[in-house]
């Protein structure tokens, strides 16, 4: 009777050595996967140690320190106001009649003689002017409050709108200052911030004076305006304003 393999194991199979768990552990020497992984980890750890040795750990700046490093337009304007801005507006303003008459003869010619450009050619011309006039109207229904006057030139009366806020439009005060140029600032954001700061300073400085203005009153004023073309309406930002003879 012939016995099946299930009842009588083959002698070759019966002589196969029994492997233990320790025999199945791979090693780096034999090229096992576990050994290769272990070796790679050692290499990575070594590289990280070398990289970290060449690094300099810097502290993270606090929010207060970061704020101090940011540009502050209000501080910039406050530092310039009394020492630079007021002297220009008070002592170097041209009579508005003279400037408007020159503009009627050509904006670029008038600008090169009486005005200032803080940026490249083609940007608006800005002027620092002074004058006296009778207030025709005072408008405060809008937050962009105004008073209206007329300025006489050889070609007739030119209407001029003087801004009294609290909203001041444009950047003529910034742009008319001869010591300010766009190249002085890191970017457009800083330049715009300075413009807003100038307008804000005007509002705070002149609040009491503009509250007292009334139609029919004769005023003296010094301020700035900007023009893209000779036909633009005159929108003047005052720096000094008050009753005529009051030192504006």
């Amino acid at each position: 009777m012939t016995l099946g393999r299930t009842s009588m194991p083959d002698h070759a199979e019966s002589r196969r050595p029994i492997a233990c768990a320790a025999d199945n552990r791979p090693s780096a020497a034999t090229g096992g996967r576990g050994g290769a992984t272990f070796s790679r980890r050692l290499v990575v750890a070594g590289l990280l140690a070398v990289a970290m040795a060449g690094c300099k750990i810097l502290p993270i700046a606090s929010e207060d320190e970061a704020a101090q490093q940011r540009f502050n337009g209000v501080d910039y304007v406050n530092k310039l106001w009394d020492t630079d801005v007021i002297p220009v507006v008070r002592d170097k303003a041209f009579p508005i009649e003279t400037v408007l008459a020159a503009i009627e003869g050509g904006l670029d010619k008038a600008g090169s003689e009486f005005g200032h450009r803080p940026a490249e050619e083609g940007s608006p011309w800005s002027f620092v002017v002074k004058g006296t006039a009778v207030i025709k109207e005072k408008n405060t229904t809008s937050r962009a409050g105004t008073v209206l006057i007329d300025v006489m030139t050889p070609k007739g009366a030119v209407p001029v709108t003087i801004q009294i806020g609290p909203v001041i439009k444009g950047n003529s005060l910034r742009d008319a200052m001869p010591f300010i140029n766009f190249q002085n600032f890191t970017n457009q954001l800083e330049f715009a911030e300075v413009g807003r700061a100038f307008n804000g300073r005007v509002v705070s400085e002149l609040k009491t004076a503009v509250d007292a203005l009334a139609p029919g009153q004769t005023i003296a004023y010094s301020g700035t305006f900007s023009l893209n073309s000779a036909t633009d309406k005159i929108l003047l930002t005052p720096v000094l304003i008050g009753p005529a003879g009051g030192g504006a």
Side-chain angles (χ1 to χ4, degrees):
M1 180 176 63
T2 304
L3 297 177
R5 293 177 60 87
T6 56
S7 60
M8 181 75 64
D10 181 84
H11 290 294
E13 291 183 355
S14 66
R15 290 195 299 270
R16 184 188 309 162
I18 300 174
C20 64
D23 295 330
N24 288 328
R25 288 178 299 182
S27 66
T30 58
R33 292 178 60 189
T37 301
F38 181 71
S39 298
R40 284 195 297 270
R41 288 175 179 172
L42 287 176
V43 171
V44 171
L47 291 174
L48 286 174
V50 172
M52 290 299 293
C55 293
K56 182 179 181 180
I57 300 176
L58 299 175
I60 298 176
S62 68
E63 290 185 6
D64 289 341
E65 291 172 336
Q68 291 175 0
Q69 294 173 2
R70 287 196 294 267
F71 178 80
N72 188 303
V74 172
D75 288 345
Y76 178 88
V77 170
N78 288 343
K79 291 176 182 177
L80 294 174
W81 190 261
D82 292 326
T83 58
D84 297 87
V85 178
I86 294 301
V88 167
V89 175
R90 182 188 61 222
D91 303 329
K92 298 183 179 181
F94 295 99
I96 191 169
E97 297 86 355
T98 301
V99 174
L100 294 185
I103 290 171
E104 289 174 348
L107 178 57
D108 286 336
K109 182 179 178 181
S112 62
E113 185 173 359
F114 299 107
H116 174 65
R117 273 178 172 161
E120 71 281 353
E121 183 177 351
S123 61
W125 283 107
S126 297
F127 304 87
V128 183
V129 296
K130 61 183 178 182
T132 60
V134 176
I135 295 177
K136 296 173 57 180
E137 297 179 22
K138 182 179 182 180
N139 304 310
T140 57
T141 54
S142 167
R143 284 181 53 79
T146 60
V147 295
L148 304 182
I149 64 172
D150 282 336
V151 175
M152 296 305 299
T153 72
K155 292 187 177 181
V158 175
V160 172
T161 300
I162 300 178
Q163 304 191 84
I164 58 175
V167 173
I168 302 292
K169 298 179 180 179
N171 294 296
S172 69
L173 180 52
R174 177 199 66 189
D175 295 349
M177 293 298 101
F179 50 83
I180 291 184
N181 288 286
F182 179 72
Q183 291 78 11
N184 299 146
F185 302 92
T186 302
N187 51 47
Q188 181 65 40
L189 295 177
E190 289 185 0
F191 196 52
E193 187 175 342
V194 168
R196 290 191 295 270
F198 268 121
N199 292 347
R201 182 64 185 258
V202 164
V203 172
S204 62
E205 288 282 326
L206 299 184
K207 185 180 187 312
T208 300
V210 300
D211 286 346
L213 299 179
Q217 183 181 28
T218 300
I219 60 169
Y221 59 90
S222 296
T224 61
F225 67 89
S226 297
L227 295 179
N228 283 294
S229 72
T231 59
D232 289 348
K233 294 182 179 180
I234 308 297
L235 185 64
L236 187 141
T237 299
V239 178
L240 303 170
I241 193 169

